[in-house]
Amino acid sequence: MKQLLKLIVNGEDHQIYAEPASTLQSVLRNELHLTGTKRGCSTGYCGACTVLLDGKAVKSCLILAFQTEGKDICTVEGLAENGELGTLQKAFVDGFAVQCGFCTPGMLMSAKALLNENPHPSEEDVKEAIIGNLCRCTGYKKIVESIQEAARQ
Amino acid sequence: MKPVTLEEACKLLPTLNREGKLLSGGQSLVPLLQQRLISPKYLIDLKGISEIDYIRENSDSLSIGAITTERAIETSTLIKSRFPLLAEAAHSIGAIQIRNWGTIGGNLAHADPDGDFGPALWALGAKVIITSINGQREIPLDKFFMNYFESAIESDEILSEVVIPYPPQRSGGIYHKEVIRAGGRGISSMAVMVTLNKNDEVKQAKIVLGCQSRVPIRAVQTEKLAVGRNLNANMKDLEEVIATEADPSVDVLGSIEYKAHLVKVIVRHALPEAIKRAKAT
């Protein structure tokens, strides 16, 4: 039976009815239509569904939406600054870090979490932070460079 | 259901007719739910029970509350300095996103034969505290794993705390896992804990193998052989014995022969490293 779910996503309050076992990912995409968060493997391997919970990266396919009530949820849509692409997003575009683009939202969110904790990461720190994000175009080099470039800005 | 105290959760369990399932970080449970491998009637969310979220120093041990995240354990300066083996095991779990939400209690209770905390905590001589409406009981890690994905926790009980004794002087440990890709499933893992005598020889060793076919395995024969060895000792015979103590299963990650071989390679590096660390303390 559906129950009332109260979420704070990208600074906005939302009230929706959802099944208790709904994942955060399905609620974000299917109920809130925030389709930037991708559905990849749904088993926690690929990281395409990565979002931030209170500033920390998590995989939204592995978390029940009801566990995230009261937490500050940030999706890739929340990275925009005044309707324009945010610093990280611009760095990805300028650095050619996007190939097919499927992993990009997840990569951006893992990068955001890293920069929240560590504003000046080394190359190793960046690689460590995106271990949980698969890019099957294997464009990792440009992704790592772009995250470092965003950190410099 | 979202109890906010341990007592509330304990009282709830017996009323659910064994149709409830405890949910902590859900990093293993949620995929099982999504794939309909399990479909419990009730989910009891333990994440809101803040009283079991802590890392606490006692006079002779360290206590970790069940819903403490793997990331909190991995990054704790106290754990990194006193129990590097445990911090390494925490770091070995999945990716950072998993560790930010997954908990030590959930990890252990899932009793995954590929789990990282099991071998590490067993080598450290840890025990878990189990709470129910009937009170508390302790289970040492060597009595915890019963079978494939099966622990010694009964259906109305909750794993509430992990207690790790401080190791004796001149002790050192290491946790090592071999993976195909960082963050992926382990092919073979090992926790080694040694205590040295004043001649820098192994006085006592504890070696626990992970990624085995059903449960973690303590390599008792290998431990006996390790006694008396120092950093320069030849370990060839030990490698042969540990390969016979391992019980890996064949899967997509490798054959039984390959996995047994990996155990030899890991012990070749892990045992000297544990001795080095013990000497450095």
Side-chain angles (χ1 to χ4, degrees):
Chain A
M1 200 186 66
K2 288 193 174 181
Q3 292 176 9
L4 180 64
L5 170 68
K6 296 179 183 176
L7 296 182
I8 309 162
V9 185
N10 302 328
E12 277 179 44
D13 289 323
H14 294 273
Q15 296 202 0
I16 36 202
Y17 284 87
E19 293 290 343
S22 303
T23 62
L24 178 59
Q25 177 208 55
S26 71
V27 169
L28 288 173
R29 286 182 62 86
N30 303 334
E31 307 297 330
L32 301 180
H33 308 298
L34 293 168
T35 52
T37 302
K38 298 300 174 212
R39 180 172 182 205
C41 67
S42 292
T43 53
Y45 280 104
C46 79
C49 66
T50 301
V51 299
L52 305 191
L53 273 191
D54 289 341
K56 290 184 171 163
V58 294
K59 298 191 176 185
S60 62
C61 76
L62 291 186
I63 298 186
L64 297 188
F66 277 90
Q67 284 195 309
T68 65
E69 283 189 310
K71 298 206 178 284
D72 180 15
I73 302 164
C74 179
T75 70
V76 72
E77 289 86 353
L79 292 185
E81 293 162 15
N82 305 318
E84 304 273 313
L85 292 181
T87 314
L88 256 169
Q89 291 169 308
K90 265 188 217 144
F92 268 52
V93 172
D94 297 341
F96 296 96
V98 181
Q99 290 188 47
C100 87
F102 195 83
C103 73
T104 309
M107 287 287 182
L108 285 165
M109 299 321 284
S110 285
K112 180 71 181 168
L114 169 69
L115 299 186
N116 283 347
E117 248 177 47
N118 177 0
H120 306 290
S122 66
E123 188 181 331
E124 279 312 303
D125 294 337
V126 174
K127 286 181 178 170
E128 175 74 31
I130 59 168
I131 279 178
N133 295 80
L134 293 181
C135 167
R136 287 303 76 172
C137 308
T138 64
Y140 292 105
K141 193 168 189 309
K142 297 233 178 272
I143 292 169
V144 173
E145 285 168 4
S146 299
I147 295 171
Q148 288 189 290
E149 181 54 33
R152 276 191 287 271
Q153 287 172 12
Chain B
M1 301 181 191
K2 290 187 173 187
V4 291
T5 66
L6 191 57
E7 193 188 352
E8 203 185 316
C10 288
K11 282 184 179 161
L12 201 55
L13 271 177
T15 67
L16 303 179
N17 224 355
R18 294 185 168 224
E19 293 186 281
K21 187 92 186 140
L22 294 171
L23 168 72
S24 184
Q27 300 299 286
S28 303
L29 187 64
V30 172
L32 296 179
L33 291 171
Q34 292 298 307
Q35 293 163 17
R36 308 280 197 274
L37 287 169
I38 54 166
S39 42
K41 202 166 170 187
Y42 309 101
L43 285 174
I44 305 108
D45 178 9
L46 302 178
K47 266 263 182 185
I49 306 180
S50 54
E51 67 182 290
I52 49 171
D53 183 5
Y54 55 82
I55 298 174
R56 198 161 54 211
E57 277 183 282
N58 314 312
S59 58
D60 57 352
S61 63
L62 186 81
S63 297
I64 304 178
I67 66 160
T68 306
T69 64
E70 292 149 358
R71 182 73 173 154
I73 292 165
E74 172 192 6
T75 54
S76 154
T77 45
L78 177 66
I79 291 178
K80 279 196 279 191
S81 66
R82 297 292 311 257
F83 302 98
L85 147 68
L86 187 61
E88 285 165 351
H91 181 75
S92 303
I93 299 167
I96 187 168
Q97 294 103 313
I98 308 281
R99 306 197 291 273
N100 274 334
W101 200 250
T103 66
I104 186 169
N107 182 298
L108 283 172
H110 190 54
D112 187 334
D114 296 343
D116 296 279
F117 278 137
L121 289 168
W122 189 347
L124 284 165
K127 62 186 177 190
V128 293
I129 309 291
I130 307 291
T131 307
S132 71
I133 45 166
N134 302 319
Q136 294 195 321
R137 67 184 181 110
E138 298 178 357
I139 309 177
L141 256 284
D142 58 325
K143 303 258 178 353
F144 182 78
F145 296 101
M146 307 303 285
N147 210 331
Y148 190 63
F149 287 98
E150 192 184 319
S151 78
I153 309 172
E154 298 292 335
S155 65
D156 290 348
E157 296 182 320
I158 298 174
L159 193 166
S160 53
E161 187 183 89
V162 179
V163 183
I164 313 159
Y166 287 126
Q169 296 285 311
R170 297 180 60 71
S171 295
I174 180 170
Y175 180 78
H176 184 88
K177 176 163 79 169
E178 280 298 324
V179 290
I180 292 198
R181 182 187 178 279
R185 249 182 68 208
I187 317 169
S188 187
S189 70
M190 191 182 297
V192 179
M193 192 71 202
V194 297
T195 305
L196 304 180
N197 65 21
K198 51 183 186 304
N199 301 324
D200 290 341
E201 291 158 352
V202 175
K203 188 164 80 179
Q204 202 189 349
K206 218 161 170 191
I207 303 174
V208 184
L209 310 177
C211 304
Q212 302 296 301
S213 59
R214 294 184 305 121
V215 291
I217 291 176
R218 189 167 163 194
V220 183
Q221 298 305 322
T222 311
E223 291 173 4
K224 282 185 193 151
L225 271 180
V227 172
R229 312 276 172 122
N230 64 22
L231 208 47
N232 306 317
N234 187 325
M235 306 277 188
K236 265 279 177 257
D237 54 332
L238 216 120
E239 288 176 26
E240 295 308 319
V241 169
I242 202 165
T244 65
E245 291 193 276
D247 177 30
S249 56
V250 58
D251 60 19
V252 66
L253 297 177
S255 63
I256 289 175
E257 293 76 12
Y258 173 63
K259 290 184 179 183
H261 173 74
L262 261 189
V263 172
K264 293 186 192 179
V265 178
I266 297 175
V267 80
R268 188 181 306 160
H269 298 283
L271 188 58
E273 181 59 29
I275 295 173
K276 265 187 220 162
R277 290 183 184 184
K279 279 173 80 169
T281 58

